[in-house]
Amino acid sequence: MKDWYSAGELVGVPGIAKDGSAAKSKVTVIARLKELRATSRPREARGGGVEYDLRSLPKAVQTALLLREAPAAPALPAPAASLPVTTTPAAGALVPAAPERSATALADWQRGTMAARVALVRELQRLAAVIGTDRAVQTLLGMIAGQALPETLAGALRLALGKGRGRQSISRATLYSWLKGFSEGGELALAPKAPERTRIEPWAPYLLAEFQQPQKPALTEVLARLRLPDGVTPPSYDQARRLLARMGVVARNKGRMGPNDLKSVRAFKRRDASEHWPCDIYTSDGHTFKAEIAHPEHGRPFKPEVTPVLDVATHRCVGWSIGLAESALTVLDAFCRAVEVGGIPALFYVDNGSGFKNQTHADPATGVFARCGTELTHATPYNSQARGMIEAFHRIVLVPLARTYPTYSGKSMDREAKKLAYKLTREDVAAGTAPRILPSWQAFARDLEAAIAAYNDRPHSGLPKFRDATGKLRHRSPNEEWAAAIAEGFNPEDVSVSPELVADLYRPCEVRKTKRGEVSLWGNRYFHKALEPFGGEYVRVHYDVHDGARVWVRDRNGALICVAEFEANKTSYFPASRVQIARERRAATREKRLLQHLEEIHLERGDAPALPGQTISDEEARLAQAELNRLRAAAALRETEAARQAEAGAAALAALTSKETPITPIQEPAAPLMRPKFRDDFEMWLWCEQHPDHTTPEDRQWLDAALRDDSALRLQVEAWTARHAGKEKPAG
């Protein structure tokens, strides 16, 4: 920077004119400098003239020339990202003398203030390189006092003074402290410190005790019922709101949310399945369908239980099943379908529901998973976030499918439409007709299969992207991810099973003890001659859940001994399948719950239950008399049969002891016809019509009473008789 300037070089420099503005011509500059008696000398350059000493010019002109001709400041380097993050020490820990600050830990207002201070320090350094530090500080303070700072530096000054500072003045000591801090600690030394809010208001504990309740009271309600000790000033709404805003979301909601709900706001780990192959992990969970369909047995409205099975690596749905409720049999059906379509998994990741956690599946010797070599892994209780994949499948496949039915009952369904659908279906059921808007079981199964097939062919956001045949970059579908795994080396034959093994997997297993060629299961007895050498030993009995006529018996090593056939049963005239036993148990449980609920309704309405000596209605009396007649008929039948057997025994004994009466061989009676278990009186009447030779007088007595008292039975009998008039009765 030079010390002498010509009049032409001073044109346009602020501070020359009387009002502090710039002179627009050399004539104005020369006239003004003559008035100020500025020091001049002849100009040595070509053209002659005079030039003026910088030190004799006004201060504003000197500052303007210094700012114009000083070297340009280098660009502000980016804050170092590798500096450690500042953390607050725990209670009782040793605090370091000078903790190292980090630019990444600064708030936005701290970053802005730091950058503004750095800009002012850089300007001071530029001036100090020419006129010295003291004079540079004095020059900058003079420009601030005279409001002669350029607009960029004026804005930087306002921001550098700190957050919330209304004044625009700065002291000489502050500028020197910034220069020293910048030279010793760099940009971070100029960042302002965040205010430490360590003070706890005396009303804060009482406020939080009222606010952190599971009822989730509003802040206005908390302030209305807040009780404070004497001498403690209650907070205003804004003070309480600011206190809660300073707290973390977890600390603020403790007490308002339980440990399980707090998981939705806590940090979590996102699971990555990219390192797994298909069939490494299967996951499954039951889902109550959000729409009513027709029950497969009686056609009434109900919500089925859908159990899908997903492959974790590819998100592909490899198996599914539909059941009346979540049970071991429904899970078994879904798992076997998954094994048949995909293969045997190494892990099966499920929840702790009764359909997954039971003896049929988890037994180390006879369980289905032990026979497959699959490890059954249960999720942590009340931790549905860990099974987000299967929960997402329910949300994006099963719930949209339920929305396509008029009987949808989810949260998004219109309340009036939901009530109308419920009313229509119940009116049709009460009228004895099939509900008009109720989807059938078969139609629902077809729709579910189509929805799962569409899901497997649809791009999935949880799978990698690739460029398809059209050149579009998109996510892979589950089927495409499965095919890509095969192309990368996955061999489905390594985990596939034969049809014989799949059929065997459909048969659960129980351990039973043999005795004299027999083995008992679920109240049924099965016999085979090959079981005789195994008398008293424990064997594995495999059964078909849909057929109780036979069982497959294996030894302790798993070798097949025989297929034992049903022979006798003390509790039934026909072999009851495992499914039928489960249905009867479930029906009995539901009936018990309904009776208890009905009793509660009567008590709430004020109707006391019928006690001895109280009067009852005619309908109740008729039903009670019918039940009494049935019990009397059954008792009379038992007495008649006992008397007949006694007479036959006495006659046989007399024939054996009498010398005159020759002994005649006893003929084996013909095998009696197997009598079925009737579901209602109409089935009993129809069987008696088809088998009159096996109908007892007690049967006729019971049916006559039923036809006399039950109008619905009479209508069924008349309708059947009208349809089969003139036709031969079907053979039984």
Side-chain angles (χ1 to χ4, degrees), residues 403-455:
R403 290 198 186 101
T404 62
Y405 294 143
T407 56
Y408 173 65
S409 59
K411 294 181 179 179
S412 60
M413 183 65 170
D414 179 70
R415 184 174 59 180
E416 294 183 7
K418 186 190 304 185
K419 292 175 63 177
L420 179 60
Y422 183 88
K423 182 179 179 181
L424 290 176
T425 54
R426 270 57 184 182
E427 287 179 351
D428 291 341
V429 169
T433 60
R436 291 161 289 178
I437 63 173
L438 205 61
S440 65
W441 177 273
Q442 295 78 9
F444 168 63
R446 291 194 299 268
D447 294 343
L448 178 61
E449 187 173 8
I452 291 176
Y455 161 81

Side-chain angles (χ1 to χ4, degrees), residues 670-683:
L673 179 66
M674 184 176 294
R675 186 185 182 93
K677 181 182 290 185
F678 306 115
R679 291 183 297 181
D680 52 26
D681 291 338
F682 178 74
E683 284 192 4

Side-chain angles (χ1 to χ4, degrees), residues 698-711:
E698 289 76 18
D699 292 339
R700 290 299 179 187
Q701 183 180 0
W702 170 263
L703 290 175
D704 292 340
L707 288 171
R708 183 176 63 256
D709 299 330
D710 193 347
S711 59

